Amino acid sequence: MHEAGSLALLRSELQQIGPLVVAFSGGADSAFLAWIATDTLGADQVRCVTAVSPSLAPEELADCRSLAGEWGLTYQEIETDELADPAYAVNDGSRCYYCKTSLMEALEPLGATASIALGVNVDDLDDHRPGQRAAAERGALFPLVTAGFTKSQVRASSQLLGLRTWDKPAAACLASRVPYGTPVTLGTLRSVAHAESKLRAMGFRHLRVRHHGGTARIEVPVEDLAAIVARREEVTDAVHEAGYRYVSLDLDGFRSGSLNEALPDQDLALPFGASS
């Protein structure tokens, strides 16, 4: 479908839904949903809410605040404490389920007179995303999925609308850097956040610092591998400063969700709306 047609369909869907609480992480998907919902329904009908916790990178929180001001969003922050839930902290293959449950519990009081919407796109249905199931079980809506938006369509439509988030790198929660079976702790999340912040400040936009105990495994796009090596001393200094003893570079390059590769097939539970 043509981008203009896709946007018209999404706007029509949002008008049918009515007042919304949008889970606003500042990523390309949630930002697009927050902007178009506000533009379609009005700022008095859409509340954009950012869940603040140690798993949210400081830069992402700062960008949420900036976007809210730039776009005139009705904006609110709520604190969540996933780490207090032992089922989350133990970090098995269902970690995201407990995280999203915590988010929904925090959002539900705000959604007493409005629907809760998340910026999930069609491509997300193909990955291991137990958090989607948790949100769906609690009645969350996924307008981008219903309107048929893929990730590339979200970015293309965002660019068409002049939204600066159209090419923003994906930024999953910091806990996604910790291998399943390794407990998620406040110290671990802080180390990952510190290392990634330093590397982004060096100009590496697309990256992950995967936590393997005392070792940090850096993922960047293959085309950036040479640049990382060329700035080896700066890179290692930054990562050592974050508390890691060893610094490794993943020659396979950047892959979103790469830690899911270690999950047994039976743990890849189908997300909502998918079929075998």
Side-chain angles (χ1 to χ4, degrees), residues 27-115:
D29 296 324
S30 73
F32 172 63
L33 179 59
W35 186 92
I36 197 165
T38 299
D39 187 64
T40 301
L41 300 174
D44 61 331
Q45 295 295 303
V46 180
R47 183 179 302 190
C48 304
V49 182
T50 298
V52 181
S53 78
S55 67
L56 179 67
E59 296 95 335
E60 293 303 310
L61 176 57
D63 202 32
C64 285
R65 292 168 176 169
S66 294
L67 289 169
E70 292 170 27
W71 294 348
L73 306 178
T74 298
Y75 178 67
Q76 181 176 347
E77 295 174 7
I78 55 173
E79 291 190 4
T80 58
D81 188 11
E82 306 93 295
L83 287 173
D85 182 355
Y88 171 89
V90 74
N91 194 24
D92 63 15
S94 298
R95 181 197 66 237
C96 293
Y97 182 92
Y98 303 112
C99 177
K100 204 66 72 180
T101 296
S102 176
L103 171 65
M104 290 299 297
E105 289 175 348
L107 292 178
E108 282 166 354
L110 305 178
T113 58
S115 299

Side-chain angles (χ1 to χ4, degrees), residues 126-262:
D126 294 330
D127 197 4
H128 177 63
R129 307 275 179 131
Q132 295 173 9
R133 179 163 54 88
E137 287 173 356
R138 289 179 171 268
L141 302 180
F142 307 88
L144 302 182
V145 171
T146 306
F149 274 78
T150 62
K151 186 72 170 184
S152 63
Q153 287 176 310
V154 167
R155 293 192 182 280
S157 294
S158 296
Q159 186 177 24
L160 182 68
L161 294 167
L163 308 183
R164 65 171 174 83
T165 52
W166 75 271
D167 67 341
K168 185 174 181 179
C173 80
L174 294 175
S176 69
R177 301 351 179 225
V178 185
Y180 295 113
T182 299
V184 178
T185 68
L186 181 59
T188 295
L189 297 179
R190 285 177 172 169
S191 291
V192 170
H194 185 93
E196 290 193 353
S197 293
K198 289 289 187 178
L199 295 180
R200 285 197 183 91
M202 292 170 59
F204 297 103
R205 296 183 68 216
H206 299 265
L207 81 148
R208 296 286 186 269
V209 174
R210 308 293 186 186
H211 175 92
H212 297 275
T215 300
R217 175 169 58 88
I218 300 172
E219 292 181 13
V220 294
V222 172
E223 57 269 26
D224 288 343
L225 291 175
I228 287 281
V229 173
R231 302 177 69 179
R232 182 187 64 81
E233 290 189 10
E234 291 177 78
V235 169
T236 55
D237 284 349
V239 179
H240 287 317
E241 185 181 295
Y244 291 100
R245 180 179 297 273
Y246 304 108
V247 184
S248 66
L249 179 61
D250 192 325
L251 297 183
D252 282 329
F254 174 87
R255 290 102 64 215
S256 290
S258 68
L259 291 178
N260 289 340
E261 296 166 4

